[in-house]
């Protein structure tokens, strides 16, 4: 599985998402920076990076801030001081932590169904879950369902990241794998003699840090988990008969996309199935990759790309609901007596329900 921000957004509490997607997070960060009186610095970063203010990605913004900070010194760089850059980094990370540090509600969610499915049968190979999310919803669901998992950290007092263990398969298959590509709300870091140590924080009073990947130039040790997890994804996709299901991911991370494309160039038996929440037109990167790689099948609400060919879901004329017995598809009346099938499994909650039905839950 590769799970993106749309999965967390699928969990609703009090008529709103438990955790917003990237667009929602970006707007929340902007609101805080505006309220703090630093909107000018926010706009300046957008100008420097050439970011569209209506369609900015908070991770790209943070990467640029972190790239500029070491070069600021005591002077301004591109119109921003070191103090302003530090404020932007601290505010972005702090707000993200506030937004994603949430508990799963006491209801059945897609996460609970995923965990139940993972624990439903004995497996010769473990399920590997890659996620770009920083939250702890997967960990909570796994622990509630007693699903053993390994995430690359070892130890008891202050678990540290061990890249060697990530790339080796010495653990039993009943231990599923969880790879948090973009970091986690419960990771902490410390700069010691120019080298950044990363560990999983077990002390709530510690300053936990969201560890983002940066595509820019800074400490190799800081990027270590990100690179190790991407290497693990490459390794997984090169296994014979590997199958990757993608949910909640909009294909906006170019480095992650390149890793998937490289995997599709490996064994001919590798298959990737991407379930998209909205209409196909909204996912330009996914469309481009699927049209060039027959082993990537994309399923969006209104259409799909299978074997590099775009196909729309079926339409029909009927004066009443046509009825549907096809998994993942249902009918919607788009005009009077005109019905069109729509794909539902791009909603992670529906995907979880499907997994639950597989095990008879």
């Amino acid at each position: 599985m590769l799970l993106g921000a749309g999965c967390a957004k699928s969990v609703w509490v009090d008529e709103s998402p438990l955790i917003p997607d990237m667009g929602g997070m970006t707007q929340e960060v902007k609101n805080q920076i505006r309220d703090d009186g630093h909107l000018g610095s926010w706009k300046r970063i957008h100008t420097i990076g050439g970011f569209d203010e209506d369609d900015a990605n908070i991770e790209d913004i943070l990467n640029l801030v972190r790239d500029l900070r070491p070069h600021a010194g005591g002077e301004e760089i591109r119109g921003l001081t070191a103090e302003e850059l530090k404020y932007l980094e601290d505010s972005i990370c702090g707000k993200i932590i506030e937004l994603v540090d949430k508990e799963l509600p006491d209801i059945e969610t897609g996460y609970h169904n995923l965990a139940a499915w993972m624990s439903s049968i004995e497996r010769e190979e473990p399920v590997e879950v890659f996620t770009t999310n920083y939250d702890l919803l997967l960990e909570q669901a796994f622990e509630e369902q007693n699903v053993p998992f390994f995430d690359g950290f070892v130890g008891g007092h202050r678990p540290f990241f061990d890249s060697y263990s990530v790339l080796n398969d010495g653990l039993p298959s009943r231990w599923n794998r969880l790879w948090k590509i973009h970091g986690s709300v419960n990771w902490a870091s410390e700069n010691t003699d120019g080298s950044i140590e990363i560990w999983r924080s077990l002390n709530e009073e510690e300053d936990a840090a969201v560890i983002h990947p940066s595509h820019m130039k800074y400490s190799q040790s800081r990027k270590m988990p990100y690179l190790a997890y991407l290497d693990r994804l490459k390794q997984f996709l090169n296994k014979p008969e590997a199958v990757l299901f993608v949910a909640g991911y909009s294909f906006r991370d170019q480095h992650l996309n390149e890793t998937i494309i490289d995997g599709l160039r490996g064994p001919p038996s590798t298959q990737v199935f991407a379930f998209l929440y909205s209409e196909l037109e909204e996912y330009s990167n996914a469309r481009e990759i699927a049209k060039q790689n027959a082993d990537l099948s994309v399923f969006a609400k209104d259409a799909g790309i299978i074997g590099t060919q775009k196909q729309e879901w079926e339409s029909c004329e009927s004066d009443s609901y046509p009825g549907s017995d096809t998994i993942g598809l249902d009918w919607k009346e788009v005009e009077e007596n005109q019905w069109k099938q729509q794909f539902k499994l791009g909603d992670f909650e529906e995907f979880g329900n499907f997994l639950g039905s597989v095990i008879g839950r």
Side-chain angles (χ1 to χ4, degrees):
M1 305 284 177
L2 170 60
L3 307 181
C7 296
K9 188 181 178 183
S10 73
V11 181
W12 284 65
V13 177
D14 297 329
E15 299 184 351
S16 63
L18 179 66
I19 297 175
D21 60 10
M22 279 296 162
M25 285 189 194
T26 304
Q27 186 60 49
E28 292 280 355
V29 171
K30 178 182 177 181
N31 292 343
Q32 175 171 304
I33 290 174
R34 178 197 61 208
D35 295 343
D36 289 347
H38 291 268
L39 190 58
S41 299
W42 176 261
K43 291 184 175 181
R44 183 63 186 160
I45 279 291
H46 279 70
T47 300
I48 294 171
F51 301 134
D52 184 343
E53 195 155 348
D54 295 328
D55 191 31
N57 184 314
I58 193 62
E59 292 178 345
D60 291 337
I61 295 169
L62 181 58
N63 284 339
L64 179 56
V65 170
R66 284 178 164 170
D67 186 50
L68 291 173
R69 274 195 68 184
H71 305 290
E75 305 292 333
E76 285 190 357
I77 179 170
R78 306 289 297 274
L80 290 169
T81 65
E83 290 76 14
E84 288 173 306
L85 290 167
K86 182 179 185 303
Y87 163 79
L88 287 172
E89 180 174 357
D90 292 346
S91 296
I92 292 171
C93 287
K95 190 63 178 180
I96 289 175
I97 291 172
E98 176 188 327
L99 291 170
V100 306
D101 193 12
K102 301 292 178 64
E103 296 282 333
L104 270 176
D106 189 22
I107 57 174
E108 185 175 292
T109 68
Y111 288 92
H112 292 103
N113 278 319
L114 171 62
W117 172 78
M118 290 170 67
S119 65
S120 63
I121 62 172
E122 292 291 330
R123 304 180 185 276
E124 293 184 8
E125 297 284 342
V127 177
E128 302 201 33
V129 180
F130 300 84
T131 180
T132 59
N133 299 344
Y134 319 114
D135 58 69
L136 303 178
L137 302 186
L138 281 165
E139 289 93 326
Q140 293 172 40
F142 291 170
E143 290 168 7
E144 286 183 28
Q145 297 285 343
N146 295 318
V147 176
F149 67 92
F150 174 66
D151 62 357
F153 288 79
V154 294
H157 172 62
R158 195 169 89 159
F160 60 92
F161 182 75
D162 182 37
S163 60
Y164 179 81
S165 297
V166 172
L167 299 175
N168 287 273
D169 288 316
L171 292 172
S173 60
R174 67 181 296 269
W175 281 71
N176 297 287
R177 314 302 199 251
L178 174 60
W179 312 124
K180 305 189 78 170
I181 299 172
H182 284 184
S184 180
V185 71
N186 68 337
W187 290 7
S189 66
E190 183 177 35
N191 193 331
T192 306
D193 299 327
S195 177
I196 297 180
E197 178 189 0
I198 297 171
W199 71 93
R200 187 172 61 230
S201 174
L202 300 179
N203 184 349
E204 293 182 358
E205 296 181 359
E206 281 184 324
D207 290 329
V210 177
I211 311 297
H212 289 268
S214 174
H215 310 323
M216 311 300 180
K217 297 177 181 177
Y218 65 74
S219 175
Q220 184 74 12
S221 61
R222 185 169 198 162
K223 294 162 60 178
M224 181 175 62
Y226 176 66
L227 296 176
Y229 290 153
L230 285 187
D231 286 344
R232 180 70 193 195
L233 179 56
K234 290 179 186 176
Q235 186 182 79
F236 170 78
L237 290 172
N238 276 284
K239 291 182 177 180
E241 301 182 356
V243 179
L244 179 69
F245 286 93
V246 180
Y249 174 60
S250 58
F251 286 82
R252 294 184 63 177
D253 183 322
Q254 292 300 332
H255 284 223
L256 186 50
N257 292 348
E258 289 169 7
T259 302
I260 294 172
I261 292 170
D262 287 344
L264 291 171
R265 292 172 180 157
S269 58
T270 296
Q271 295 287 325
V272 179
F273 299 94
F275 296 163
L276 306 178
Y277 181 79
S278 300
E279 296 186 348
L280 186 61
E281 185 64 26
E282 297 186 25
Y283 304 94
S284 58
N285 289 337
R287 294 199 314 272
E288 181 180 347
I289 298 170
K291 287 181 179 179
Q292 297 177 5
N293 295 274
D295 293 332
L296 169 61
S297 299
V298 169
F299 302 86
K301 181 176 290 186
D302 62 329
I305 299 178
I306 302 170
T308 74
Q309 301 300 310
K310 178 183 175 182
Q311 301 286 342
E312 294 193 359
W313 306 124
E314 186 179 355
S315 300
C316 76
E317 295 183 12
S318 177
D319 57 3
S320 63
Y321 174 67
S324 178
D325 58 359
T326 305
I327 293 175
L329 290 172
D330 204 353
W331 292 97
K332 179 180 179 180
E333 190 172 21
V334 291
E335 296 180 11
E336 185 176 2
N337 296 335
Q338 296 291 324
W339 296 78
K340 182 176 176 60
Q341 283 187 328
Q342 297 207 323
F343 184 72
K344 300 189 300 178
L345 300 188
D347 182 335
F348 184 63
E349 198 67 17
E350 292 284 354
F351 183 53
N353 291 337
F354 164 68
L355 295 177
S357 71
V358 171
I359 59 174
R361 180 168 171 147

